[in-house]
């Protein structure tokens, strides 16, 4: 379905929820896409299983080495620490915003919307997230819904969002569909 399409996975050097990185990654690969791990620093990123250290993953490129034109879509895994760090990094926020400006699909899960809020791209969008992010999304102008997955096409791009790891099956299916165009 994705036939070699490159899909960016943006995470901080530490703190991404491992399953929210690895399951969508596997779904993109199984659909024929080419996932690429993007971060703010080269080397390896440290993923987590909630609060416990998980595996490390090799970074393919840093945000200053890539452009939105290099990718067909973007995945923003959750975890608390990764999105919280990314929203403080100007180049990461700009990279995310550029996907919306280019009309390319974005898939975000759990606390990942924090980076979208910082990029000011959720106003008028309907989406879901981890429940503790709901007020932040509402305050940024989004309509928050408590659903397994929400696909919002009411903006410049397709925005796929989910709440938590239990939603990954639906999230991965919706993300791959969105990336496939």
């Amino acid at each position: 379905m994705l036939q070699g399409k490159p899909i960016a996975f943006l995470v901080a050097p530490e703190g991404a929820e491992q399953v929210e990185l690895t399951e969508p990654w596997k779904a993109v690969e199984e659909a024929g896409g080419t996932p690429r791990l993007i971060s703010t620093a080269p080397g390896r990123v440290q993923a987590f299983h909630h609060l416990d250290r998980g595996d490390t993953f090799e970074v393919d490129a840093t945000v200053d080495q890539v452009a939105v034109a290099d990718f067909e879509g973007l995945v923003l895994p959750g975890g608390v620490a990764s999105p919280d760090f990314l929203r403080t990094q100007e180049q990461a926020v700009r990279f995310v915003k550029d996907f919306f400006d280019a009309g390319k699909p974005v898939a975000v899960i759990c606390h990942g919307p924090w980076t979208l809020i910082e990029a000011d791209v959720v106003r008028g969008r309907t989406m879901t997230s981890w429940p503790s992010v709901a007020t932040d999304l509402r305050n940024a102008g989004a309509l928050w819904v408590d659903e397994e997955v929400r696909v919002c096409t009411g903006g410049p791009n397709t925005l796929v969002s989910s709440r938590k790891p239990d939603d990954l099956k639906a999230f991965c299916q919706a993300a791959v569909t969105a990336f496939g165009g």
Side-chain angles (χ1 to χ4, degrees):
M1 181 175 189
L2 298 182
Q3 301 174 348
K5 288 184 177 184
I7 306 298
F9 282 70
L10 178 62
V11 298
E14 185 170 88
E17 184 67 29
Q18 183 164 323
V19 71
E20 294 174 0
L21 170 63
T22 58
E23 288 301 305
W25 185 283
K26 185 171 79 174
V28 166
E29 283 183 326
E30 288 175 354
T34 305
R36 295 200 57 222
L37 188 58
I38 312 301
S39 191
T40 57
R44 298 186 74 80
V45 297
Q46 175 68 61
F48 278 73
H49 301 291
H50 191 53
L51 298 175
D52 298 321
R53 288 186 181 277
D55 297 324
T56 63
F57 300 89
E58 187 68 31
V59 171
D60 293 309
T62 58
V63 290
D64 62 336
Q65 297 171 325
V66 294
V68 170
D70 300 333
F71 303 99
E72 296 299 319
L74 171 66
V75 176
L76 290 167
V80 175
S82 181
D84 190 48
F85 176 80
L86 288 175
R87 68 181 172 168
T88 68
Q89 304 300 302
E90 185 179 325
Q91 287 183 313
V93 172
R94 187 172 338 127
F95 183 66
V96 168
K97 185 173 183 345
D98 287 349
F99 276 88
F100 287 78
D101 292 344
K104 293 187 176 184
V106 172
V108 61
I109 188 167
C110 194
H111 290 77
W114 276 340
T115 311
L116 300 182
I117 291 166
E118 190 64 32
D120 193 23
V121 295
V122 301
R123 192 171 318 283
R125 304 304 295 266
T126 301
M127 57 189 303
T128 193
S129 68
W130 185 254
S132 66
V133 181
T135 299
D136 299 329
L137 282 166
R138 287 187 193 108
N139 288 342
L143 173 62
W144 187 83
V145 294
D146 185 11
E147 297 175 2
E148 180 179 50
V149 65
R150 173 51 79 126
V151 178
C152 178
T153 57
N157 66 337
T158 299
L159 176 59
V160 177
S161 58
S162 281
R163 303 169 298 191
K164 57 189 174 183
D166 289 347
D167 301 335
L168 276 166
K169 183 176 180 182
F171 176 72
C172 291
Q173 289 172 344
V176 165
T177 299
F179 297 147

